Amino acid sequence: MSEELSANEYRQQRIVNMEKLEEAGFPAFGKAFERTARLDELHEGFEEGKVVKACGRIVGMRKMGKMAFAHLNDGSARFQLMVKKDILGDEVFAAFKLLDLGDIIGIEGEMIITQTGEQTIRISNWMLLSKALLPLPEKFHGLTDVETRYRQRSLDLISNPEVMDVFKKRTEVLREIRRFLDGRGFYEVETPMLQQIAGGAAAKPFKAHYNALNVDVFMRIAPELYLKRLIVGGMDRVYEMNRNFRNEGLDRTHNPEFTALEIYQAYGDMRTMQELIQSMFMHLAETIFGKMEFEWMGNTISLQAPWREVAYYDLIKEHLGDDWFDKTLEEAVAKAEELDVHVEQGMNFKEVTHEIYDKTIEGTLIQPTFITRLPKELVPLANHCPDDPELVDVFELIIGGKEIAPAYSELNNPLEQRARFEEQAAGDGEKIDEDFLAALEYGMPPTGGMGIGIDRLLMLLTGSDAIRDVILFPQLKPRV
RNA sequence: GGGCCGGUAGCUCAGUCGGUAGAGCAUUUGACUUUUAAUCAAAGGGUCCCGGGUUCGAGUCCCGGCCGGCUCACCA
């Protein structure tokens, strides 16, 4: 007996049941059903004696001789059904007992409270809306195999309510972000995902071919250069929240397609973004989660503003000593080795310092922290700090030891922008986006810009340790 | 890419020293009008991830591969 045949036994049995139901006058795949309310709403507005219509999937069934109890789930909640032979009559009751777990039905009945105190609908009538030909995962343990959960998200959602909850929260967060930004006068825009030059970030793009123009195109790695064109054009508050694609590895915090929110506000700067993100995160925490503290990867994180702000050099000194910047390169390398931080031959002092920061300091910043005044070498596309041309006017927001959002006082000097592009192009051979540079030459107002990794934000807000748990269909290797 | 762990019935999992493949749920049949992991009785259900090897005999040991998880590294 093959696995396939065995699985088929369940299917065969359900097809037999389906035929019996059809003979009894219950077509297996019904039409639209008008319900009184969702099951969660019925629980909330429960009223003993009220007659209601509801529908959903049968997720539990306890059959007895002349009555049965079942549980219905419509994705919002579960609701118990009481099914009695003396109410339905012999044939309709017998047909009900032919239903399988997973079948989708519509019912009508009276809301009652059972002896054990559970809100229940005692049904007077029912119809089959859709037959399930395959068995559902087991009722008690549910579906736990992670691989199956990601590959068959439908089943995951059916059998794991907490998974459903995370994805509903995801939708609510996206909706609330839009509402928040719209309320501040931002326009949501859509810019190309198919780009002939993949700019705006340093990452490897996915490549595709466009037949009609016979050109290679790239899936975007960032919308930044297009959004700034809109700032030049006078749309002075814009945001885009959509997918970016990066042709890189896959791990607990990286998926090749991920959702990024980029925000640009003309006549603002990094400070504008700082206020915006604190207000926005607190707003989300308050309105959707009703709390300010979140458990994430073993830490309790408070989003209560104001968040800590520390200049990069001060942070380094805090961890490596006030005299750090008086040290020689050799001393810095020695310290790195002592800390078990791997440094490459030929790295300069700043690079070694940053490597140490990356490996030993960033991870310790659990509570929200703005790191400001970064060395310009680290951030090529930002404006200088007004008081120090060696530093750039940016912040990196770290939460839970992870980078959540960078923000810049955007570079709006087209000559300097061109110089930096040329330097970059010399390094990696990428084409320069001349149209973008031309736009800048018409004049871009001083602008604050920010990028937020939405998936990582959702990990924090929902307490998820893996990005796969906040993305409905994460990338997986194909199954053979 | 390296290391460690895992893949056995539809689902969740056991499987000892290499000796006939197990349980619970689910399914089928029967009993049962207040159950809720319903209960009771009986039955059916397996490509033990794939391919080689060792052996009289492999779910188990060895080699290779696939998929997944954790972790380190790389990339940013």
Side-chain angles (χ1 to χ4, degrees):
Chain A
M1 272 291 148
S2 74
E3 190 180 323
E4 201 178 324
L5 278 180
S6 167
N8 246 339
E9 268 176 44
Y10 285 87
R11 198 164 166 272
Q12 273 312 324
Q13 186 54 52
R14 282 164 180 258
I15 288 174
V16 167
N17 288 342
M18 179 177 82
E19 286 163 357
K20 286 184 189 164
L21 279 161
E22 292 198 319
E23 278 167 32
F26 291 90
F29 297 97
K31 296 197 175 7
F33 183 84
E34 200 172 324
R35 62 185 170 190
T36 306
R38 286 197 319 258
L39 296 177
D40 59 339
E41 295 166 332
L42 289 183
H43 275 304
E44 241 168 75
F46 183 82
E47 217 178 292
E48 204 163 354
K50 191 178 171 190
V51 174
V52 295
K53 286 182 169 184
C55 48
R57 189 184 291 279
I58 298 173
V59 293
M61 179 101 87
R62 294 173 294 283
K63 298 175 196 174
M64 278 160 281
K66 293 173 185 162
M67 72 178 301
F69 289 93
H71 269 99
L72 204 61
N73 186 338
D74 68 352
S76 74
R78 289 160 55 98
F79 215 109
Q80 181 168 262
L81 305 180
M82 179 193 276
V83 188
K84 295 183 74 180
K85 189 172 186 174
D86 56 6
I87 293 181
L88 294 182
D90 290 2
E91 278 125 54
V92 175
F93 180 73
F96 192 91
K97 288 175 85 173
L98 287 170
L99 289 169
D100 291 303
L101 292 181
D103 289 354
I104 296 169
I105 62 172
I107 59 103
E108 182 172 5
E110 186 185 347
M111 300 212 280
I112 60 160
I113 300 267
T114 59
Q115 282 180 3
T116 48
E118 179 164 350
Q119 295 181 352
T120 299
I121 300 171
R122 188 171 60 206
I123 75 173
S124 55
N125 199 7
W126 66 276
M127 61 193 294
L128 183 55
L129 300 178
S130 188
K131 190 83 189 80
L133 296 183
L134 293 173
L136 253 34
E138 193 232 4
K139 63 185 171 191
F140 188 56
H141 299 92
L143 182 67
T144 62
D145 181 84
V146 276
E147 187 174 352
T148 311
R149 285 188 41 227
Y150 298 140
R151 288 190 195 277
Q152 299 195 57
R153 192 66 96 174
S154 309
L155 280 184
D156 193 20
L157 290 167
I158 290 169
S159 44
N160 295 316
E162 67 283 3
V163 172
M164 175 73 88
D165 189 54
V166 165
F167 288 109
K168 285 182 172 173
K169 284 285 189 289
R170 180 178 178 118
T171 297
E172 287 173 36
V173 167
L174 298 193
R175 185 197 293 149
E176 200 56 38
I177 287 172
R178 290 192 163 99
R179 193 176 292 159
F180 179 87
L181 291 171
D182 296 348
R184 288 189 171 212
F186 284 87
Y187 282 96
E188 179 175 12
V189 297
E190 295 164 283
T191 66
M193 296 212 181
L194 288 178
Q195 302 181 347
Q196 293 184 18
I197 297 170
K204 294 184 200 102
F206 285 94
K207 197 169 159 182
H209 187 76
Y210 182 32
N211 295 337
L213 297 185
N214 192 27
V215 289
D216 284 338
V217 291
F218 299 96
M219 310 289 287
R220 74 170 178 204
I221 55 176
E224 172 161 351
L225 302 186
Y226 286 91
L227 294 172
K228 284 181 178 169
R229 284 164 163 90
L230 300 178
I231 297 291
V232 170
M235 294 188 80
D236 65 10
R237 292 184 182 196
V238 295
Y239 70 95
E240 180 162 12
M241 183 158 58
N242 217 318
R243 226 68 63 79
N244 289 343
F245 306 86
R246 297 191 179 176
N247 206 339
E248 286 161 5
L250 191 59
D251 65 28
R252 207 185 344 168
T253 54
H254 295 81
N255 196 62
E257 52 180 311
F258 62 97
T259 300
L261 168 62
E262 285 202 12
I263 304 171
Y264 292 87
Q265 179 167 344
Y267 310 107
D269 63 6
M270 171 276 263
R271 295 281 165 209
T272 317
M273 294 295 116
Q274 205 168 25
E275 185 282 325
L276 182 69
I277 194 169
Q278 288 188 69
S279 302
M280 185 167 84
F281 279 21
M282 284 182 62
H283 176 74
L284 295 172
E286 182 71 48
T287 58
I288 298 176
F289 298 89
K291 58 178 183 180
M292 277 301 149
E293 298 202 334
F294 295 84
E295 296 295 325
W296 190 34
M297 301 207 183
N299 294 302
T300 302
I301 292 163
S302 171
L303 293 182
Q304 183 64 49
W307 301 340
R308 183 186 180 208
E309 175 181 332
V310 58
Y312 180 77
Y313 281 16
D314 292 339
L315 182 64
I316 299 291
K317 285 195 248 178
E318 199 177 285
H319 285 79
L320 299 176
D322 280 343
D323 61 345
W324 176 259
F325 291 97
D326 302 326
K327 289 189 189 295
T328 64
L329 175 60
E330 288 69 32
E331 287 171 322
V333 170
K335 180 71 178 177
E337 273 160 15
E338 181 192 321
L339 291 170
D340 226 15
V341 172
H342 176 76
V343 292
E344 297 285 339
Q345 277 290 331
M347 274 186 168
N348 63 32
F349 185 84
K350 282 180 182 170
E351 288 166 337
V352 170
T353 301
H354 192 64
E355 196 61 28
I356 294 174
Y357 161 80
D358 237 17
K359 294 292 187 293
T360 69
I361 301 178
E362 188 175 278
T364 67
L365 303 173
I366 302 304
Q367 300 307 318
T369 304
F370 293 112
I371 301 175
T372 58
R373 300 172 69 82
L374 270 71
K376 67 176 184 186
E377 293 80 2
L378 295 177
V379 188
L381 298 178
N383 257 336
H384 302 146
C385 287
D387 60 339
D388 188 341
E390 291 302 304
L391 301 176
V392 284
D393 195 30
V394 303
F395 70 70
E396 284 192 351
L397 173 63
I398 312 293
I399 304 180
K402 308 246 176 279
E403 214 180 302
I404 296 291
Y408 302 173
S409 297
E410 300 290 345
L411 179 62
N412 63 343
N413 178 336
L415 303 175
E416 194 168 341
Q417 179 73 75
R418 172 177 294 280
R420 292 188 188 181
F421 273 175
E422 280 169 355
E423 199 178 316
Q424 205 181 331
D428 57 22
E430 290 294 319
K431 278 192 214 156
I432 290 175
D433 190 336
E434 290 292 345
D435 291 344
F436 169 68
L437 287 176
L440 273 196
E441 297 207 356
Y442 288 105
M444 183 174 88
T447 298
M450 177 161 64
I452 301 173
I454 293 297
D455 307 289
R456 289 190 192 170
L457 170 61
L458 281 157
M459 287 170 65
L460 161 66
L461 295 175
T462 61
S464 304
D465 287 353
I467 200 168
R468 290 180 301 264
D469 292 327
V470 299
I471 292 177
L472 280 166
F473 300 100
Q475 192 70 34
L476 295 171
K477 284 198 187 184
R479 191 142 215 180
V480 263

